[in-house]
Amino acid sequence: MKVKVLSRNPDDYVRETKLDIQRVPRNYDPTLHPFELSREYTRALNATKLERVFAKPFLASLDGHRDGVNCMAKHTKSLSTFLSGSCDGEVAIMWNLTKHECVRTLQAHEGFVRGMVVRYCGTSFFTVGDDKTIKQWKMEAPGYGEEEEPLNTILGKTVFTGLDHHWQEGVFATCGQQVDIWDEQRSSPIRSFTWGVESFSSIRFNPVETEILASCASDRSIVLYDMRESAPLKKVIMTMRSNTLCWNPMEAYYFTCSNEDYNLYTYDMRYLDQPVTVHMDHVSAVLDVDYSPTGREFVSASFDKTIRIFPKDVGHSREVYHTKRMQHVICVKWSSDNKYVLSGSDEMNIRLWKAYAAEKLGVLAPRERQAINYNQKLKEKFQHHPQIRRISHHRHLPKSIYHQTKELRIMKEARRRKERNVRKHSRPGTVPVVSEKEKHVVTVVK
Amino acid sequence: MDKVSKKSIKNCSSQTPESAELNPDEVYIDEAEVEELNAADENIICEEEDACKDERKRQRLLEAISALGGKRKRKLGERSEAAVQMSEFTVSGEGEKVNLSDLIGTIDKNAAIPAKTKKQLKTLQQSNKTVECPLSKQESERIQRDVAYQKAASEVSQWKGVIKQNQRAEQLVFPLNQEPSGPKPFERVLTSWKAQTPLEQEIFSLLSINKQPIHDPILTPTEEASLRAMSLEEAKVRHAELQKARALQSYYEAKARRERKIKSKKYHKVQNKHKRKEFLKQFDEMVKTNPAAALEELNKIELARMQERMSLKHQNSGKWAKSQVIMAKYDEGARKSMQQQLEVNKDLTQKLVTSLNNEEDSEIEEVSAEVTPAFVKDAEEGLDSSNPWMRGKLSAEPREKQTSDSVDLTAEGFGGNASEDEEDKHNVAETEEEALLREFDNRRKHRQIQEADTELILCLDDDDNEDKEKTKNAAEDLDTSDKEEELSQFTSLMQGLTDAHWDIEAEFAKTAADTSSQLEQSFIKIGTLEDRELLSQEDSAAEKVPVKPQLSTSTENPLPASPVTEKKRKRKRGIELKHVLTKETNIIHVPLAPTFRDSEDLDESLDQRQLIKEAFAGDDVVSDFLKDKRKQEDTSKPKLLDLTLPGWGEWGGTDLKPSRNKQRRFRIKAALPPPRKDQNLPSVIILEKRNSSVTLHQVNTLPFPFENHAQFESTIRCPMGRTWNTEQTVKKITKPKVVTQLGTIIEPMNRERLGKKLVSPGSQDSVKLS
């Protein structure tokens, strides 16, 4: 006779050692786990709420400058080193970001420090100032008893307003009344570009196609250059002046410029006749822009005392950072490990922010990481649901900015209405619909 | 600052404007610097002047010397010391200018210059055309810019692929050019390490001579090259292919071994036959598709034939054959085996003629006997043979007619009690039986033929006319001699059939008894004819003509053909509709409705109404609507909530209802809902299902990237959590889009990546870049 008894093999449920993972038998029968949609929705909602709870982006304020911070530079080889030049121009300061302290100051220029860039090898850096000089400095502090002296000084004829270094060679470019390409070994520019009478505000080397440059000029234009050619490549004139621009470090032909008309424009350098994306949200002139090293997002600094983070192909910002004491933000940088954002503002402080406001810094346990990944996906999945959307999009803004945003919206709506009315009351075809992208480009000059 | 440069500066300052214009490309010097240097001390100048004097003297001397030679030699500006005037091309600004004509003048004398260029120069001198005026500076610059821009844009566009791929990648791991983690070889860590001891040096020299890897002790350069040549995926695919091929091979080998072990002769015979058939089929196809290969096959066959003709194999001349000859008198088996051997010989030595060899279609008849290759002959010596001669049985139209008649007769014979359908069925079945019969018969016939006159068969392939006559005779002989046998066989078979199937069999048996010989013949003929048609349909017409008279001699009672056999034949070839459909189709007769109306004088509106009425005839819309509304109202009414539990507080069991008291107590009536909004609107249904508290959480517009609701809903519907998915799936689903490493600098995109991408544009979902 066969007797049926309950019998279990201990191998199925007993761990060999206590360090083994507990075996958890699971039954994935969907009938046993009902309401998956609503349960996940709730989880997503909670995750979104928690994200807002944990969104504390402000990390530190680095004070030490005695005037507004006019320019900053990332170290190319060290994450913890950071350079800044101030507006009164007397000092360029090197920071240790991990300790939040100033490591070294030096008297660089008389007047504004206009531009600052670290050489690609990280051993020295260049500064330009209002005193018409380009100075190259050693990254290391001078030894005891030695005087702080630049490695090299070049006297220019005019004021330099911007500076950038080639990503792979000993060549750098300055801009002022003209764009000059300098060899580090020479005291005179190896090439200079002019195209009409203008003054330039910013120049940037393309980090991918390293021979290509772009500059912003005061005649509201953005000019492209090739270092190897004797003439500039092309020029696009916009309705208002661009202040700075930044190339996407991962995508060779995209760059973004920050404009005086409160917007940022991402261009494809092959098709300059209209921007790829118009990024709007600022309520005052945008002064600086910097791409994240992953090329997915960029951060912009504005005169409206905020910095905003935009995904590169989205028209509106995903994040806005502001503090009560932060004044007009003049310069901004995204750290090269994609974790932090640094902003230098008028009121002499450099602020350190997290690039992802709710991100937990430091090492994550595997389970923690899994949970974070899952929550992230949930948020993405349910992002279009109104409640979740409302919570995730909500940002507290300073009153002035809030009202100004509203006002701008009203103005825009009024303009649109007017245009619509004009179109309505004129012969069909005479008032064409102009898209937002087309609106801001005046011409492309070959 | 040394002397020389100062001098040069001085010269520079004292230069004429012309000379300055001549060398505008010279090294640029800051004005400030120049001023500074001008203000430098003057006491060195006198020294310099002395030096200048010496120089001048020397020059004069040199000129005098050169003048002695008669011709004035051109001064060679030599770069001996750093000077401002000296251009990079060792052409000093001073001295006489060289004209183009001077240069050209020497050409005539120089033999090294080809005549062509001389001619060109001459024509150039002669032509008086004015050179086109150059473009204005603005225009030329613009063109320059445009060209440069195009170039840059195309250069940048190379990145398109990489960028697209990165954008589509499910996961990007930054930094892109990560070094592989794990322990590094110490040679890489200790870069300054060197082989010092003699032993080490020897080892390394050996290694380097043999091109063995020193630093990364895994791969030699050749191995690396081969690795580079073949990507991992390709290698995998190739490996899989090889594996499959190997498996197949082993499988076939095993199969072959198994088959070889089988002892049954019959099995092998059948197998060989099958193989030959297959080969024949292939060969036929090959003749059509790939004549070259077919020709090759043909050549092979030809070679086999040659060998066979040369050898004494299968000639009944061996020891065994001799013994068999002795045995043949008494043993039928021995006879048979001998004949078989001869048959084999015949087949192998038979000449082969195919459409490849002769294209003349007019002589198909002659050819038809030889269309199939010889070795196939024995495979299909039965019914499948396309060679009517070989079968020793001739078949053609008059006979067929006869057979058809006979069949018809039989059909008539039992047609009285069988319906049309039944007859059809019967015919079909009959054909099947026929096939069997035919096969048997043919085989038997063939054997008999072999027995009767082998020489006849052997000489078959010689000549047509002779053939015909001979076969005629043979056929006659056979017909007469074999009748009894056939009859007996047929009747027995028929008996079997009748036992199995029909109720008409008794009658049929009777008819079969008297018409047996006739029928039998007819069957055979049908069979042969059909076969022939099947195998050589196109030449049947040509064949019929010569065969006719001979057949007529063999047939006893020529009778007119009937349509039944025709049908039969058709049925054999393809599927007949009637055959397939057992039931007769019912033809539905539809009374023709008037497609248009004649009366156009009717009012149009009336017409319209009529139309609508017609269209919605039987639809009572109003009542339907009312029903719907009532239903809606009913569903929206609150239901009675029954909380009575049987057995609590009283007896429970089947057929026991809870007491009324309990019912009253535990049946809860819900409160009446607010009045319906469409209460007073008779022609409106307002759905009140919509729950405002839920709508707050629902998406009311289709979000951007989605194209339809189904798409969006499907993405929402599938759960992602570990409650519903396995661990692996969860991991895969929740993979973050961008992964960065803590504390590492992410370098911008590098040109190397472009090269890598261009080499292997893999379609990996996760672009793990190392």
Side-chain angles (χ1 to χ4, degrees):
Chain A
M1 199 182 90
K2 194 179 177 187
V3 181
K4 283 185 179 173
V5 289
L6 268 181
S7 77
R8 285 191 183 140
N9 186 0
D11 290 348
D12 292 338
Y13 56 91
V14 174
R15 291 186 291 176
E16 276 182 12
T17 68
K18 67 170 187 180
L19 297 173
D20 278 353
I21 302 162
Q22 280 282 16
R23 191 171 288 176
V24 184
R26 278 185 187 280
N27 191 346
Y28 294 108
D29 183 2
T31 51
L32 296 179
H33 309 286
F35 305 118
E36 63 265 21
L37 183 60
S38 23
R39 282 162 81 183
E40 288 219 314
Y41 175 75
T42 316
R43 286 180 196 175
L45 194 63
N46 287 341
T48 317
K49 284 176 184 170
L50 281 178
E51 188 205 319
R52 290 328 301 157
V53 168
F54 290 125
K56 303 224 177 285
F58 181 70
L59 289 175
S61 164
L62 313 174
D63 52 343
H65 279 292
R66 271 165 289 169
D67 204 335
V69 183
N70 196 41
C71 57
M72 300 193 296
K74 291 183 275 190
H75 197 284
T76 46
K77 297 288 169 196
S78 152
L79 279 172
S80 61
T81 317
F82 192 73
L83 289 85
S84 65
S86 88
C87 226
D88 67 339
E90 284 169 321
V91 280
I93 304 192
M94 292 174 73
W95 299 93
N96 186 337
L97 289 180
T98 46
K99 290 179 184 167
H100 301 172
E101 65 179 20
C102 173
V103 174
R104 177 180 158 210
T105 63
L106 50 94
Q107 185 79 25
H109 297 277
E110 289 165 19
F112 278 41
V113 180
R114 286 292 179 182
M116 193 172 228
V117 68
V118 180
R119 198 168 182 272
Y120 63 94
C121 60
T123 51
S124 62
F125 64 94
F126 295 83
T127 54
V128 290
D130 272 356
D131 54 359
K132 302 183 189 174
T133 53
I134 306 166
K135 286 181 182 173
Q136 187 182 5
W137 306 84
K138 249 192 181 170
M139 195 58 81
E140 290 164 15
Y144 180 74
E146 279 180 48
E147 259 187 65
E148 187 81 78
E149 266 197 342
L151 278 174
N152 204 355
T153 309
I154 299 168
L155 281 170
K157 279 178 229 164
T158 53
V159 176
F160 299 109
T161 52
L163 173 74
D164 197 23
H165 201 280
H166 193 278
W167 286 80
Q168 280 156 12
E169 291 165 26
V171 173
F172 63 93
T174 58
C175 64
Q177 281 185 3
Q178 61 188 16
V179 169
D180 294 321
I181 312 288
W182 304 76
D183 191 339
E184 282 176 6
Q185 307 301 322
R186 292 192 174 196
S187 58
S188 53
I190 51 173
R191 191 150 290 154
S192 44
F193 299 106
T194 48
W195 191 351
V197 183
E198 61 217 34
S199 69
F200 296 92
S201 59
S202 147
I203 183 146
R204 285 299 191 95
F205 270 101
N206 189 333
V208 188
E209 280 294 331
T210 46
E211 263 64 42
I212 290 167
L213 303 106
S215 71
C216 299
S218 63
D219 68 342
R220 305 167 296 155
S221 67
I222 297 163
V223 194
L224 294 175
Y225 309 91
D226 191 327
M227 214 175 81
R228 297 158 293 190
E229 307 287 344
S230 57
L233 301 179
K234 214 170 201 181
K235 174 156 83 169
V236 56
I237 297 174
M238 304 181 69
T239 47
M240 286 186 89
R241 188 167 69 100
S242 294
N243 285 315
T244 47
L245 63 80
C246 188
W247 290 93
N248 191 325
M250 288 293 157
E251 299 176 356
Y253 40 76
Y254 290 117
F255 64 87
T256 301
C257 61
S258 58
N259 205 285
E260 285 280 319
D261 63 0
Y262 311 173
N263 295 337
L264 292 114
Y265 301 96
T266 300
Y267 277 99
D268 184 333
M269 70 161 273
R270 300 167 301 165
Y271 315 105
L272 287 173
D273 43 350
Q274 73 176 41
V276 180
T277 326
V278 182
H279 310 272
M280 341 193 227
D281 259 354
H282 280 296
V283 291
S284 190
V286 190
L287 297 181
D288 198 10
V289 59
D290 191 36
Y291 260 97
S292 80
T294 58
R296 293 292 177 118
E297 288 174 323
F298 60 82
V299 63
S300 65
S302 168
F303 199 73
D304 63 8
K305 305 173 187 176
T306 61
I307 61 177
R308 279 180 187 269
I309 295 171
F310 294 84
K312 68 157 197 285
D313 44 8
V314 176
H316 290 277
S317 63
R318 77 158 168 84
E319 197 67 84
V320 55
Y321 294 160
H322 57 87
T323 59
K324 209 174 188 177
R325 298 186 179 189
M326 187 160 74
Q327 295 303 308
H328 315 299
V329 193
I330 293 166
C331 47
V332 72
K333 287 275 182 246
W334 199 308
S335 78
S336 36
D337 61 346
N338 196 33
K339 289 261 188 249
Y340 306 100
V341 165
L342 288 124
S343 66
S345 45
D346 244 0
E347 87 308 326
M348 303 177 271
N349 279 333
I350 296 166
R351 287 191 169 76
L352 183 63
W353 309 85
K354 283 197 277 188
Y356 303 94
E359 192 188 33
K360 192 192 167 194
L361 295 176
V363 182
L364 294 173
R367 285 181 62 181
E368 213 174 356
R369 176 170 298 120
Q370 275 176 16
I372 284 171
N373 288 347
Y374 177 48
N375 281 343
Q376 189 57 40
K377 283 288 159 178
L378 280 181
K379 276 182 260 171
E380 267 171 40
K381 181 179 166 184
F382 291 100
Q383 64 185 335
H384 304 293
H385 289 248
Q387 289 297 303
I388 290 174
R389 191 184 154 81
R390 185 183 63 83
I391 295 166
S392 66
H393 280 217
H394 177 80
R395 295 286 180 282
H396 173 74
L397 281 174
K399 205 180 204 173
S400 62
I401 293 169
Y402 181 74
H403 286 298
Q404 218 168 336
T405 315
K406 240 161 105 184
E407 201 181 308
L408 280 174
R409 200 180 302 142
I410 290 164
M411 282 160 70
K412 201 174 163 191
E413 181 52 40
R415 237 176 279 137
R416 221 182 58 183
R417 194 172 57 236
K418 170 137 196 182
E419 200 182 312
R420 204 171 55 218
N421 287 343
V422 167
R423 193 173 301 123
K424 229 183 249 174
H425 291 98
S426 53
R427 204 147 47 79
T430 48
V431 186
V433 184
V434 183
S435 72
E436 186 65 36
K437 285 177 189 173
E438 290 163 6
K439 254 179 217 171
H440 305 281
V441 176
V442 178
T443 48
V444 178
V445 188
K446 278 184 179 175
Chain B
M1 199 152 284
D2 64 351
K3 219 162 113 184
V4 179
S5 65
K6 260 174 203 163
K7 177 194 161 188
S8 68
I9 287 154
K10 194 194 151 202
N11 286 343
C12 182
S13 58
S14 63
Q15 243 174 358
T16 54
E18 279 174 12
S19 65
E21 268 177 22
L22 269 172
N23 308 328
D25 290 331
E26 280 174 9
V27 181
Y28 172 85
I29 283 161
D30 276 300
E31 285 174 2
E33 217 172 342
V34 173
E35 282 169 16
E36 191 189 342
L37 291 163
N38 277 344
D41 50 349
E42 306 257 343
N43 56 345
I44 310 162
I45 289 169
C46 54
E47 278 177 33
E48 271 180 32
E49 274 173 3
D50 287 353
C52 280
K53 264 179 194 171
D54 287 348
E55 190 73 19
R56 236 172 277 146
K57 271 180 190 169
R58 191 172 152 271
Q59 284 289 335
R60 223 175 285 152
L61 184 68
L62 278 173
E63 274 169 33
I65 290 161
S66 61
L68 282 175
K71 275 182 211 165
R72 254 194 86 196
K73 274 190 183 168
R74 192 156 290 110
K75 261 194 298 178
L76 288 173
E78 215 170 277
R79 187 164 201 147
S80 54
E81 54 185 21
V84 177
Q85 293 104 320
M86 206 67 89
S87 78
E88 298 169 83
F89 315 108
T90 68
V91 178
S92 54
E94 300 156 9
E96 285 175 24
K97 277 187 181 174
V98 179
N99 289 322
L100 186 66
S101 54
D102 295 343
L103 290 172
I104 291 170
T106 57
I107 282 175
D108 291 331
K109 292 157 201 165
N110 201 340
I113 292 158
K116 200 182 166 190
T117 39
K118 279 179 194 171
K119 208 176 180 184
Q120 276 177 340
L121 276 167
K122 258 180 198 168
T123 49
L124 208 98
Q125 276 178 324
Q126 282 162 5
S127 67
N128 295 323
K129 268 184 203 167
T130 49
V131 181
E132 274 177 46
C133 144
L135 285 173
S136 69
K137 198 187 169 193
Q138 280 80 11
E139 274 179 331
S140 65
E141 268 183 358
R142 186 179 169 161
I143 289 164
Q144 228 176 8
R145 281 197 300 261
D146 207 24
V147 169
Y149 176 72
Q150 300 291 349
K151 210 171 120 193
S154 67
E155 201 175 306
V156 159
S157 295
Q158 287 180 330
W159 290 96
K160 203 172 169 184
V162 178
I163 289 168
K164 274 272 157 61
Q165 199 176 353
N166 283 358
Q167 278 170 354
R168 283 181 196 152
E170 272 180 30
Q171 189 175 44
L172 278 176
V173 182
F174 290 102
L176 293 175
N177 39 8
Q178 251 171 354
E179 275 194 16
S181 58
K184 290 174 192 166
F186 76 101
E187 291 91 347
R188 205 173 281 174
V189 180
L190 300 172
T191 46
S192 59
W193 185 81
K194 268 182 187 176
Q196 284 166 336
T197 63
L199 179 66
E200 277 173 354
Q201 277 165 2
E202 201 175 324
I203 286 166
F204 275 95
S205 67
L206 266 176
L207 282 177
S208 62
I209 283 165
N210 294 329
K211 286 186 175 177
Q212 289 299 313
I214 296 163
H215 288 297
D216 202 348
I218 303 159
L219 296 173
T220 58
T222 49
E223 279 170 337
E224 269 176 1
S226 68
L227 257 189
R228 243 178 280 127
M230 192 158 63
S231 74
L232 183 67
E233 280 155 46
E234 274 173 34
K236 270 182 185 166
V237 168
R238 173 122 185 78
H239 183 71
E241 271 173 12
L242 280 175
Q243 226 171 7
K244 197 186 169 187
R246 236 176 286 133
L248 274 177
Q249 199 186 345
S250 68
Y251 169 72
Y252 278 123
E253 271 171 11
K255 199 184 170 188
R257 224 173 286 134
R258 239 186 299 127
E259 278 171 359
R260 228 188 304 136
K261 267 188 185 174
I262 294 171
K263 281 177 183 167
S264 162
K265 269 188 183 172
K266 198 175 177 187
Y267 169 79
H268 283 295
K269 234 182 237 169
V270 169
Q271 206 69 358
N272 285 338
K273 213 175 190 179
H274 179 70
K275 267 179 198 165
R276 277 195 212 109
K277 255 187 203 170
E278 282 289 304
F279 182 82
L280 185 71
K281 249 186 219 167
Q282 271 183 13
F283 186 77
D284 282 348
E285 262 177 39
M286 222 191 269
V287 167
K288 279 173 206 159
T289 55
N290 190 3
L295 206 66
E296 227 168 75
E297 287 295 321
L298 216 63
N299 285 340
K300 265 187 206 166
I301 293 158
E302 188 66 22
L303 196 73
R305 184 172 164 264
M306 274 172 171
Q307 277 169 351
E308 179 60 27
R309 281 176 64 178
M310 277 183 340
S311 75
L312 285 173
K313 231 178 173 188
H314 309 126
Q315 300 273 19
N316 277 2
S317 57
K319 218 187 229 173
W320 172 82
K322 275 169 190 164
S323 73
Q324 290 292 310
V325 166
I326 294 159
M327 291 292 287
K329 271 182 192 169
Y330 318 104
D331 190 7
E332 206 166 313
R335 244 180 286 158
K336 220 179 262 177
S337 61
M338 272 172 72
Q339 266 151 26
Q340 268 175 1
Q341 206 182 36
L342 280 174
E343 176 93 348
V344 169
N345 180 39
K346 182 210 75 183
D347 287 343
L348 285 170
T349 50
Q350 195 173 23
K351 198 166 190 186
L352 202 73
V353 187
T354 54
S355 53
L356 277 170
N357 297 11
N358 62 337
E359 309 276 351
E360 315 95 72
D361 284 4
S362 58
E363 293 174 333
I364 293 167
E365 207 205 333
E366 287 122 324
V367 174
S368 63
E370 300 162 338
V371 161
T372 50
F375 60 88
V376 186
K377 275 285 139 64
D378 56 343
E380 35 122 7
E381 53 199 5
L383 78 161
D384 280 55
S385 164
S386 65
N387 190 351
W389 310 109
M390 287 302 294
R391 230 174 284 132
K393 189 108 212 230
L394 301 174
S395 51
E397 246 166 27
R399 268 209 154 189
E400 183 210 338
K401 276 176 192 170
Q402 184 200 2
T403 60
S404 66
D405 267 14
S406 65
V407 170
D408 204 14
L409 277 171
T410 57
E412 276 171 6
F414 54 76
N417 35 1
S419 70
E420 281 274 319
D421 287 355
E422 268 180 320
E423 197 180 301
D424 272 1
K425 251 193 222 168
H426 171 79
N427 285 342
V428 173
E430 209 172 27
T431 52
E432 283 168 18
E433 299 308 324
E434 267 170 20
L436 252 173
L437 274 174
R438 222 182 305 123
E439 207 177 341
F440 273 74
D441 203 50
N442 280 338
R443 263 191 216 158
R444 194 162 35 77
K445 275 276 156 68
H446 197 80
R447 242 175 276 140
Q448 278 165 359
I449 286 163
Q450 282 172 356
E451 278 171 355
D453 40 8
T454 43
E455 65 276 292
L456 178 76
I457 297 161
L458 283 168
C459 66
L460 264 176
D461 47 336
D462 297 341
D463 202 357
D464 282 340
N465 300 333
E466 282 177 25
D467 247 15
K468 268 185 201 170
E469 282 169 10
K470 276 184 184 174
T471 43
K472 233 190 269 172
N473 297 334
E476 276 176 4
D477 287 350
L478 288 167
D479 279 356
T480 47
S481 63
D482 300 336
K483 243 167 200 179
E484 303 90 24
E485 270 188 44
E486 289 165 23
L487 204 143
S488 62
Q489 212 175 1
F490 178 69
T491 42
S492 65
L493 242 164
M494 225 47 231
Q495 206 62 46
L497 276 179
T498 46
D499 284 343
H501 292 290
W502 300 297
D503 47 335
I504 350 144
E505 70 260 66
E507 245 179 321
F508 184 70
K510 269 180 221 160
T511 49
D514 26 52
T515 56
S516 60
S517 61
Q518 231 181 29
L519 248 177
E520 185 272 328
Q521 276 178 353
S522 72
F523 282 143
I524 294 159
K525 262 171 264 147
I526 291 163
T528 49
L529 211 132
E530 277 164 2
D531 285 352
R532 230 213 282 146
E533 275 177 0
L534 278 173
L535 287 165
S536 54
Q537 276 178 350
E538 72 278 345
D539 50 342
S540 62
E543 224 173 335
K544 272 171 196 169
V545 180
V547 166
K548 222 174 191 175
Q550 158 222 345
L551 282 170
S552 64
T553 56
S554 67
T555 51
E556 278 94 27
N557 45 353
L559 281 164
S562 81
V564 180
T565 43
E566 297 281 337
K567 248 192 225 168
K568 230 191 267 174
R569 263 186 290 132
K570 270 183 198 165
R571 221 166 275 139
K572 273 218 98 177
R573 241 169 276 150
I575 298 164
E576 194 87 329
L577 191 66
K578 262 189 189 171
H579 175 96
V580 173
L581 299 173
T582 49
K583 254 195 174 180
E584 223 176 317
T585 50
N586 296 320
I587 299 160
I588 303 160
H589 291 279
V590 183
L592 283 171
T595 47
F596 63 91
R597 260 192 212 184
D598 294 355
S599 53
E600 284 167 26
D601 50 346
L602 271 170
D603 195 11
E604 275 197 10
S605 65
L606 218 155
D607 211 25
Q608 193 78 6
R609 197 172 290 171
Q610 200 79 13
L611 256 173
I612 288 166
K613 244 186 197 173
E614 252 175 49
F616 295 101
D619 279 13
D620 196 353
V621 186
V622 178
S623 70
D624 277 358
F625 178 79
L626 285 176
K627 247 185 242 167
D628 270 359
K629 187 165 181 180
R630 207 161 301 141
K631 213 185 271 173
Q632 287 288 343
E633 278 168 4
D634 287 344
T635 51
S636 67
K637 265 177 196 166
K639 304 275 182 319
L640 194 78
L641 196 64
D642 195 359
L643 292 175
T644 50
L645 285 171
W648 280 90
E650 59 193 13
W651 287 107
T654 50
D655 302 336
L656 277 176
K657 278 185 180 173
S659 66
R660 197 180 293 166
N661 194 21
K662 197 176 177 184
Q663 276 185 2
R664 204 186 55 215
R665 206 174 149 191
F666 288 105
R667 275 191 185 169
I668 298 159
K669 275 180 195 169
L672 275 173
R676 282 180 69 87
K677 281 173 191 166
D678 56 0
Q679 208 175 20
N680 300 322
L681 301 167
S683 57
V684 178
I685 303 174
I686 297 173
L687 292 174
E688 288 175 343
K689 264 187 188 171
R690 201 174 141 89
N691 191 344
S692 60
S693 66
V694 173
T695 51
L696 263 182
H697 294 273
Q698 281 169 337
V699 182
N700 44 19
T701 54
L702 192 67
F704 158 61
F706 301 102
E707 278 158 2
N708 51 43
H709 289 275
Q711 232 176 48
F712 177 62
E713 274 160 19
S714 72
T715 58
I716 291 293
R717 207 178 299 126
C718 55
M720 295 192 301
R722 59 182 65 234
T723 327
W724 299 276
N725 296 305
T726 58
E727 200 69 15
Q728 284 299 316
T729 322
V730 171
K731 238 181 210 174
K732 207 174 156 196
I733 292 172
T734 60
K735 218 161 53 169
K737 267 208 142 186
V738 173
V739 175
T740 55
Q741 228 176 6
L742 204 63
T744 48
I745 292 174
I746 299 165
E747 298 282 349
M749 185 68 78
N750 204 333
R751 270 230 157 252
E752 289 162 25
R753 298 273 322 139
L754 187 63
K756 265 186 207 170
K757 274 286 141 61
L758 287 179
V759 167
S760 62
S763 58
Q764 295 167 311
D765 50 354
S766 146
V767 184
K768 190 139 195 177
L769 313 141
S770 57

